[in-house]
Amino acid sequence: MEPWHYNEESAKIVKKPWGKEVWINYKKGENIGDVEKFYVMKKLYISKGTKTSFQYHLKKTETNFLIKGSVEAWFEIEEGII
């Protein structure tokens, strides 16, 4: 597997209604599945006063780390129980 180096200018950027995702270990123009990756690292920029959608993944583990600001997060313990 080719090593990667974080450089936001050359990273894959996905624009969202609430801001943008910078896919740190994907290069600009690289598509999901082009290279097998065991973990996807994203830096999220969420505009103040906006909401993101509820996220649910069967085959993906995510780690969230807040650098600046505040967030309200909901976690589902069992199906339908928040």
Side-chain angles (χ1 to χ4, degrees):
M1 185 183 300
E2 180 183 332
W4 60 271
H5 303 281
Y6 174 62
N7 178 343
E8 196 159 314
E9 289 76 36
S10 63
K12 178 181 183 74
I13 296 177
V14 179
K15 293 185 181 186
K16 299 286 187 174
W18 43 260
K20 68 178 179 180
E21 298 176 339
V22 178
W23 293 46
I24 294 171
N25 59 333
Y26 275 79
K27 295 176 185 161
K28 195 176 287 185
E30 183 178 353
N31 294 308
I32 299 168
D34 286 351
V35 177
E36 184 178 357
K37 300 183 192 262
F38 298 104
Y39 192 84
V40 177
M41 186 176 219
K42 299 180 204 175
K43 187 174 185 180
L44 305 180
Y45 291 89
I46 302 172
S47 301
K48 184 176 182 176
T50 62
K51 296 179 182 181
T52 63
S53 59
F54 180 73
Q55 299 292 308
Y56 180 75
H57 305 287
L58 289 173
K59 297 182 179 182
K60 182 173 136 187
T61 301
E62 288 190 2
T63 303
N64 295 290
F65 184 80
L66 180 66
I67 295 174
K68 182 179 176 185
S70 62
V71 65
E72 179 180 334
W74 296 32
F75 300 92
E76 187 175 64
I77 299 165
E78 293 180 33
E79 189 172 332
I81 300 173
I82 297 176

